[in-house]
Amino acid sequence: CTMLNNPGLIRRERVQIVVNEEVSLEAFVFSRRHSASPIDCSSGTTDTRTRPAGVVVVPPHPKLGGDAYNNVVVQVADDIAQAGHLALTVNLRGVGRSTGQSTWRGIEEAGDVRACVNYLKNKAQINEVFLCGYSYGAAISGPVAAAMPMVAGWIAISYPCGWIPSLLLGCHRIEELEKSQL
C-alpha cells in the first residue's frame, strides 16, 4: 500500500487489485485519517457489527477520460470516509497504473468492478459492501450489484440515458436491474 499526500482528515491508500493474469487495477481506499489502516490481509476476529460499510465508487467511461481522480468520484469517496465508512475508487483497465485495455461496452470493466467488491470484502475490515457508480460507472455497476449477493445496495449518480449510451453500452441494462432485489 502507498499513502497519497492528503493534508485533510481523509487517508487515501493506493492498492493494487489483481483481476486476472493480464489485468491489475490501481485503486485507492479512503478512510478517516485517525483510524488504523483499513486494509488488513489477515483474517481478524473483531465483531463485524462494529465494522464500517465499504463502498466501491466506479468512475465514468475510461475511454472518455473517466478515472479515480474524477472530481465527483473523489468527493463521494471523501464524504463516505468522513461518515466513518470506507470508499474504494478505481482506475478501470487501461487508465493510470491499471493494466489491460478498456472497452466501449463495459463487459470487461464489469469484471473489474466485481474484483473491487471481492477485494473490499476479503481484505478490508468491513461489514457490508455497496456499489456507487457515476455516469458510465452507474451503468456497469448496477448489473454487478444485482448479480452479487454480497452487495447490500447500489447508488447511481447521473445514470446515462438516451440513444448515445445505448449505442456505446449496447443497452441501458435496466432489464437486469428490474429483475434484481436491489
Side-chain angles (χ1 to χ4, degrees), residues 26 31 35 39 48 52 57 69 73 93 106 121 131 150 155 162:
E26 174 186 36
S31 63
S35 62
I39 303 301
T48 60
V57 184
Y69 306 105
V73 170
R93 58 185 63 216
K121 194 65 177 169
L131 280 172
M150 71 176 72
I155 302 162

Side-chain angles (χ1 to χ4, degrees), residues 33-97:
R33 185 173 290 282
H34 68 276
S35 62
S37 174
I39 303 301
D40 181 13
C41 295
S42 65
S43 57
T45 58
T46 60
D47 185 358
T48 60
R49 294 172 295 181
T50 61
R51 293 182 183 173
V55 182
V56 177
V57 184
V58 186
H61 206 298
K63 289 193 179 285
L64 301 175
D67 61 20
Y69 306 105
N70 175 279
N71 62 328
V72 173
V73 170
V74 170
Q75 186 63 57
V76 168
D78 277 342
D79 290 347
I80 290 166
Q82 282 284 4
H85 303 286
L86 300 181
L88 183 141
T89 63
V90 61
N91 278 325
L92 298 171
R93 58 185 63 216
V95 177
R97 294 181 180 171

